Amino acid sequence: MPQVKKLEWFEIYDFLEYVCSYINDDDVYNASNLLLKNQNSGFRFVDHILIPISDETDMKNVENAINSNFDNGHIKIATQKLSEKNPDYPKIIGESIDGVEIAIKNVVSNLYDDTPTNKFGGNIKILKKHNFLDGHPAYIEILNKLYGYASDGGIRHPKDRDYKITEADAVFAVEICSAFVSFLKYKVSSL
């Protein structure tokens, strides 16, 4: 046991990840999350991936988005990349917003006769036209701005600008995009 005390903090998380994946049992992941919670860790296992998210609501949104099959696996890819030793934060943000884009296209093509457009805003307009998204114009604009943020400055498409993207930015993108995909799933299931 003294050897464990010599490990760096991230090596302890790596060891925990290894043990959980080796045993590969939901009870072990749940027990590990309880241990992490009791130790006030900022990390939790979501869909067997250790990520820097500890809020219960955010964790449920990420898990719901991953299990929704609405996003063709983009949220799962984003969480996997978030758990890597040297995460590519712009790639995580790109995968997250790609998940939202695919989810919106899936809703448009599965619920309505409209053909999805290649434009994010066009698909939002289709959902609004059918009252699937029914709300204040600022709410609709937020969705378009989120996509614009992810598309600008080299996050999804290389540009001359270079924004400093941090772990906080990437975690926020995973959380907000997961929440939106979960929202879409909930709306579809309630129709």
Side-chain angles (χ1 to χ4, degrees), residues 11-39:
E11 293 173 319
I12 293 170
Y13 284 118
D14 290 345
F15 179 69
L16 178 62
E17 251 183 320
Y18 171 77
V19 169
C20 287
S21 68
Y22 182 79
I23 297 171
N24 197 20
D25 182 276
D26 286 340
D27 290 337
V28 172
Y29 284 104
N30 292 336
S32 295
N33 273 344
L34 185 58
L35 173 71
L36 292 167
K37 181 179 180 179
N38 289 340
Q39 295 299 313

Side-chain angles (χ1 to χ4, degrees), residues 96-114:
S96 298
I97 197 66
D98 284 349
V100 171
E101 183 177 28
I102 295 296
I104 289 171
K105 281 184 179 179
N106 285 338
V107 171
V108 167
S109 64
N110 292 328
L111 289 183
Y112 307 110
D113 291 333
D114 298 61

Side-chain angles (χ1 to χ4, degrees), residues 26-189:
D26 286 340
D27 290 337
V28 172
Y29 284 104
N30 292 336
S32 295
N33 273 344
L34 185 58
L35 173 71
L36 292 167
K37 181 179 180 179
N38 289 340
Q39 295 299 313
N40 294 319
S41 171
F43 290 80
R44 297 292 187 280
F45 284 100
V46 176
D47 198 50
H48 299 187
I49 302 167
L50 188 63
I51 57 175
I53 295 175
S54 60
D55 180 79
E56 295 291 328
T57 301
D58 292 334
M59 289 168 47
K60 285 183 183 186
N61 281 329
V62 171
E63 193 165 345
N64 285 338
I66 288 171
N67 294 324
S68 73
N69 297 322
F70 274 31
D71 71 330
N72 293 1
H74 287 281
I75 299 296
K76 183 165 187 147
I77 292 168
T79 58
Q80 288 169 335
K81 292 192 171 303
L82 191 57
S83 74
E84 293 175 353
K85 285 191 186 1
N86 294 309
D88 182 347
Y89 299 131
K91 184 73 172 162
I92 293 165
I93 293 171
E95 287 293 340
S96 298
I97 197 66
D98 284 349
V100 171
E101 183 177 28
I102 295 296
I104 289 171
K105 281 184 179 179
N106 285 338
V107 171
V108 167
S109 64
N110 292 328
L111 289 183
Y112 307 110
D113 291 333
D114 298 61
T115 303
T117 71
N118 287 332
K119 301 275 185 194
F120 186 85
N123 290 321
I124 293 286
K125 285 179 186 174
I126 292 170
L127 294 179
K128 189 172 180 198
K129 176 180 91 174
H130 291 286
N131 294 321
F132 184 87
L133 293 176
D134 185 24
H136 192 279
Y139 173 71
I140 304 302
E141 190 60 26
I142 287 169
L143 302 174
N144 284 316
K145 296 285 185 186
L146 176 66
Y147 185 78
Y149 162 72
S151 295
D152 193 21
I155 295 174
R156 290 181 67 227
H157 308 292
K159 302 261 180 158
D160 293 338
R161 283 180 258 158
D162 187 25
Y163 296 116
K164 173 106 172 96
I165 306 298
T166 66
E167 180 180 63
D169 298 313
V171 168
F172 174 75
V174 169
E175 290 174 346
I176 197 78
C177 291
S178 295
F180 190 67
V181 171
S182 293
F183 162 78
L184 291 173
K185 177 185 176 185
Y186 182 80
K187 287 275 289 190
V188 167
S189 68

